[in-house]
């Protein structure tokens, strides 16, 4: 499959058209942003790690019956995915308090919830991705009631599958963000990426952070953390 024209350039990825109108090619960059775009930088090798890790996890989810956009890995940084219209909702699942949850509700990080939480935010950079509930999303016609119900059940299934998978490689899945898209034939599939950019991963034994929080919080060891996750998931240095 060949790239034709560039359709879009986002913060961490570029998207290209192909000869097939149902497929696009995603190309992962090393660029990183955080704190609502205020913090910018690069994380060496991140594009390769996120592309390969995300593809591995999407295939794992497909095997478990979760529909995804994944089609074929083309190279270290490039993947063919189904062309979708992204629902303008970020879907966040949390197993343990961290990040904005801890800030918003004035609690410490690390509280293990009895059951996972779900929240939505409106994907809109100008409005800084405001938090909204299902009623707001329906009122704003961002998705239908049926789509929201489907997205909710898929997101919790993804959590069950990923939590168990990461536990097996000594990693605690703290929280993560998912995006869903609609194909030309109207199916809802999991899209975007699953990577240390979009998940919080803590080492199960030491609690060490193995994700983008090291970049957000200027903790150092950012590349090492991404490489450690690559080693655990893909079994390589
Ligand atoms: N997240 C993301 N993109 C965003 C916001 C959050 O991928 O624009 C991920 C983030 O990496 C974390 C989870 O969603 O795994 C929950 O993030 P939170 O709401 O705590 O916000 P953050 O503190 O990451 O800005």
């Amino acid at each position: 499959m060949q790239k034709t024209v560039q359709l879009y350039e986002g913060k961490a990825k570029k998207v290209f058209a192909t000869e097939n109108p149902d497929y696009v090619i995603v190309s992962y960059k090393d660029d990183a942003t955080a704190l609502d775009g205020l913090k910018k930088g690069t994380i060496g090798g991140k594009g390769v790690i996120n592309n390969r890790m995300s593809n591995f996890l999407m295939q794992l989810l497909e095997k478990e019956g979760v529909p995804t956009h994944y089609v074929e890995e083309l190279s270290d940084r490039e993947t063919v995915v189904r062309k979708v219209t992204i629902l303008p909702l970020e879907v966040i699942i949390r197993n343990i308090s961290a990040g904005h949850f801890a800030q918003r509700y004035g609690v410490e990080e690390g509280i293990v919830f009895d059951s996972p939480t779900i929240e939505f935010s409106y994907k809109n950079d100008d409005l800084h991705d405001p938090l909204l509930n299902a009623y707001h999303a329906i009122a704003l016609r961002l998705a239908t009631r049926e789509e929201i119900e489907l997205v909710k059940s898929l997101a919790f299934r993804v959590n069950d599958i990923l939590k168990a998978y990461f536990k097996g490689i000594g990693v605690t899945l703290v929280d993560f963000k998912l995006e869903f898209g609609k194909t030309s034939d109207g199916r809802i599939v999991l899209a975007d990426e699953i990577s240390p950019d979009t998940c919080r991963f803590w080492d199960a034994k030491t609690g060490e952070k193995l994700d983008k929080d090291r970049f957000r919080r200027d903790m150092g060891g950012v590349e090492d953390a991404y490489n450690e996750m690559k080693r655990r998931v893909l079994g390589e240095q």
Side-chain angles (χ1 to χ4, degrees), residues 90 92 94 98-100 175-177 197-200 216:
E90 297 195 337
I92 293 173
R94 302 178 190 270
H100 272 111
D175 59 26
F176 56 94
K177 185 261 304 181
D197 273 15
T198 63
C199 304
R200 285 196 170 91
R216 291 187 190 101

Side-chain angles (χ1 to χ4, degrees), residues 164-182:
Y165 167 73
F166 282 111
K167 190 173 177 193
I169 56 168
V171 172
T172 304
L173 178 62
V174 175
D175 59 26
F176 56 94
K177 185 261 304 181
L178 299 176
E179 294 185 24
F180 291 85
K182 208 192 260 190

Side-chain angles (χ1 to χ4, degrees), residues 79-146:
T79 297
V80 183
V81 298
R82 242 165 258 287
K83 185 171 186 174
V84 295
T85 308
I86 294 283
L87 299 181
L89 291 175
E90 297 195 337
V91 182
I92 293 173
I93 297 275
R94 302 178 190 270
N95 297 304
I96 297 178
S97 65
H100 272 111
F101 183 96
Q103 275 174 27
R104 197 186 307 136
Y105 303 119
V107 295
E108 73 267 32
E109 295 202 316
I111 302 166
V112 181
F113 302 144
D114 293 338
S115 49
T117 67
I118 191 165
E119 70 206 42
F120 301 104
S121 58
Y122 178 19
K123 253 176 85 71
N124 184 319
D125 283 340
D126 293 338
L127 298 175
H128 312 285
D129 299 343
L131 195 65
L132 44 63
N133 68 29
Y135 294 92
H136 300 147
I138 294 162
L140 292 167
R141 303 217 169 112
L142 307 181
T144 64
R145 190 176 309 277
E146 293 72 29

